[in-house]
Amino acid sequence: MNGILNFIVSFATTPALLVGIIAMIGLLLQKKPTSAVIQGGVKTFAGFLVLTGGAGILVNSLTPFSAMFQHVFNAKGLVPSNEAVVALALVKFGTPAALIMLVGFVVNIILARITRFKYIFLTGQAMLYVSTMAAVVLASAGLGTSWLAILLGGIFEGTLLTITPALTQKYMRKLTGSDGVAMGHTGNMGYALAGYLGEKFGNPDPEKSTEKLNIPKNLGFLRDSTVSISLVMMVVYILLALIAGPHFVEGSTLSNGTNYIVYAITQAGTFAAGFVVVLQGVRMILAEIIPAFQGIAAKLVPNSKPALDVPIVFPYAPNAVLIGFFVSFIVGVISMLAMLGLHTTVIIPGVVGIFFCGGAAGVYGNSFGGVRGAVIGSFVNGLILAWGPLLIMPALGSFGAGAASTFADSDYIVSGGLLGLTGKAGSAALITLILGFLVVVLILNVILNARDKSKAK
């Protein structure tokens, strides 16, 4: 039993395999030739491996950045990291987390089938992270690891992962120029807010987009995203390396004897290379998964859209990614200093999470609001990432008190914090909240459908 469960969980949390199989299913439903089915599945599988490989390069190049930053500020506290906190939590909550994830995926498919929210959440690691958070919060609220907790956790996860892509779809349509793909990430609430604020307070003039920054002709080479990202990151890495000093950087934990300036330049270049790899992976996936989903939409879930991981938006506004990252990071540093002054638990900026979530917030803010929208959107998102972890920590109970990390993204902060707060009123209140959440989504579906029918008359 454990072996079968381990296989299912491993398969479902390996996005490359999951999405490759789904692409093949979609092509089979369209009665494509065997060669086309195999080609589509393999190219989608390979595209996801390219994307995740690029993301891994980005993460590895940001690790020394984070180490130098903590050394410079000599700060001690919690570093928000979904990967770290989930790894710790799975030791105790692995089985209920896995079962919650499976129930949640079924609920997601059912809701996508019967409601207007046609989003199939395909980011496997995010599904596991949400199920782990739910397992920890429900156990801390007194439900333990019972079948009731697993069922409630699955309902909660499936409903959450169905509705949150809808929050950002307006901006995805603007970014991609179509309605064929959605955002499947746990920062969706923050991205939707960034897009909204960018639209309300930014500059809608297309000429004010981050991608049309007025660069002098003699600096025209900066329009190449690979060049601009490399140069900007080189400046940042070199400054941080200079402040950290050669003794620290050239130690065994970082450069291991390589000159600290050379090391900084190399890491900046590696970051840019990872970014290029991510963009190539995104292109490969989109070329295969959207046509394949036409078959799934026609047969199983009409008009369904794949909700994919956050790097899917990076090719549409690379400049906005950089702006969003730096604005969110600066907000995180200022917030950390404020926490030191206020003598609260100190949240040390998690550079990896800030890059992906802050960068995406910049892209969404830019979609309708240009440079100003990117700055405003990523600024507010930075505040959420900086202060939000303080809100979810109490919801994690004794586990949260003993962990050296916590959940990072906006959807964990809002939903986990709300579950934890409600859980303090007892298990009955928690059950009411989760089932109420599902009922609200179903009622919202009826209301929106009725509104659309009245408009059509």
Side-chain angles (χ1 to χ4, degrees):
M1 179 65 182
N2 286 336
I4 295 173
L5 181 62
N6 179 61
F7 173 80
I8 294 173
V9 172
S10 298
F11 189 96
T13 53
T14 304
L17 282 173
L18 181 65
V19 179
I21 293 296
I22 288 174
M24 294 180 74
I25 292 172
L27 294 169
L28 284 170
L29 291 172
Q30 295 179 71
K31 299 181 179 179
K32 295 289 186 181
T34 302
S35 59
V37 173
I38 295 173
Q39 178 179 313
V42 171
K43 289 185 74 174
T44 305
F45 171 71
F48 250 97
L49 290 178
V50 171
L51 186 151
T52 53
I57 295 171
L58 289 172
V59 169
N60 289 336
S61 67
L62 286 171
T63 299
F65 184 101
S66 180
M68 287 188 284
F69 173 82
Q70 291 193 44
H71 175 74
V72 167
F73 284 93
N74 193 30
K76 296 186 182 298
L78 290 178
V79 180
S81 169
N82 302 323
E83 294 78 10
V85 72
V86 167
L88 293 171
L90 286 177
V91 175
K92 184 177 181 181
F93 300 97
T95 299
L99 294 172
I100 287 172
M101 185 187 70
L102 295 178
V103 174
F105 189 59
V106 172
V107 171
N108 176 206
I109 293 173
I110 293 173
L111 288 176
R113 179 70 177 83
I114 67 175
T115 72
R116 64 187 286 127
F117 306 113
K118 307 293 184 183
Y119 307 102
I120 308 296
F121 200 97
L122 296 177
T123 308
Q125 71 272 20
M127 294 162 59
L128 178 62
Y129 297 170
V130 172
S131 66
T132 303
M133 180 199 72
V136 174
V137 173
L138 291 174
S140 300
L143 288 173
T145 57
S146 63
W147 281 103
L148 176 61
I150 290 167
L151 179 61
L152 289 172
I155 292 173
F156 165 75
E157 175 172 6
T159 308
L160 182 72
L161 299 187
T162 303
I163 197 67
T164 52
L167 300 177
T168 64
Q169 195 58 19
K170 172 183 178 179
Y171 308 103
M172 287 297 289
R173 285 193 292 268
K174 174 70 172 177
L175 288 169
T176 64
S178 72
D179 200 28
V181 67
M183 172 58 72
H185 193 246
T186 45
N188 276 345
M189 296 182 191
Y191 307 151
L193 180 59
Y196 173 80
L197 293 173
E199 184 177 6
K200 293 300 179 184
F201 302 106
N203 191 329
D205 184 353
E207 294 302 313
K208 299 299 182 181
S209 167
T210 56
E211 308 315 296
K212 294 191 176 181
L213 289 171
N214 188 19
I215 300 174
K217 288 185 178 180
N218 60 340
L219 296 177
F221 59 88
L222 292 175
R223 294 187 183 277
D224 185 309
S225 60
T226 305
V227 175
S228 60
I229 290 170
S230 296
L231 293 178
V232 170
M233 294 305 290
M234 279 181 192
V235 171
V236 174
Y237 270 83
I238 289 172
L239 285 175
L240 198 55
L242 287 170
I243 298 171
H247 179 72
F248 177 76
V249 178
E250 294 174 8
S252 59
T253 58
L254 290 181
S255 80
N256 196 25
T258 301
N259 178 271
Y260 70 121
I261 300 298
V262 173
Y263 179 74
I265 293 172
T266 303
Q267 292 303 312
T270 302
F271 178 92
F275 201 87
V276 172
V277 174
V278 165
L279 301 190
Q280 179 60 30
V282 168
R283 295 186 188 102
M284 291 177 66
I285 294 166
L286 292 181
E288 301 297 331
I289 194 68
I290 292 177
F293 246 73
Q294 293 172 354
I296 295 174
K299 298 291 183 179
L300 302 178
V301 184
N303 302 316
S304 60
K305 304 172 184 65
L308 304 174
D309 204 356
V310 64
I312 210 76
V313 300
F314 289 175
Y316 299 101
N319 291 342
V321 174
L322 274 182
I323 291 173
F325 168 49
F326 284 118
V327 171
S328 293
F329 182 68
I330 291 168
V331 170
V333 173
I334 294 173
S335 297
M336 180 193 72
L337 296 175
M339 292 173 195
L340 288 169
L342 293 171
H343 303 291
T344 66
T345 299
V346 177
I347 304 299
I348 300 172
V351 178
V352 173
I354 286 177
F355 171 72
F356 287 106
C357 292
V363 173
Y364 279 95
N366 174 69
S367 61
F368 282 98
V371 175
R372 188 196 308 162
V375 172
I376 294 171
S378 54
F379 175 84
V380 174
N381 187 77
L383 290 175
I384 295 172
L385 297 177
W387 295 91
L390 294 176
L391 301 178
I392 193 175
M393 283 172 57
L396 302 179
S398 58
F399 169 79
S405 186
T406 186
F407 290 95
D409 307 345
S410 61
D411 295 7
Y412 301 117
I413 291 165
V414 175
S415 63
L418 185 60
L419 282 179
L421 184 64
T422 306
K424 292 182 178 179
S427 57
L430 198 56
I431 294 170
T432 302
L433 173 68
I434 292 173
L435 296 181
F437 180 31
L438 174 61
V439 170
V440 167
V441 169
L442 294 174
I443 292 174
L444 181 62
N445 172 67
V446 173
I447 292 173
L448 293 177
N449 284 340
R451 183 200 64 181
D452 290 347
K453 287 182 181 178
S454 65
K455 284 184 178 180
K457 291 180 180 179

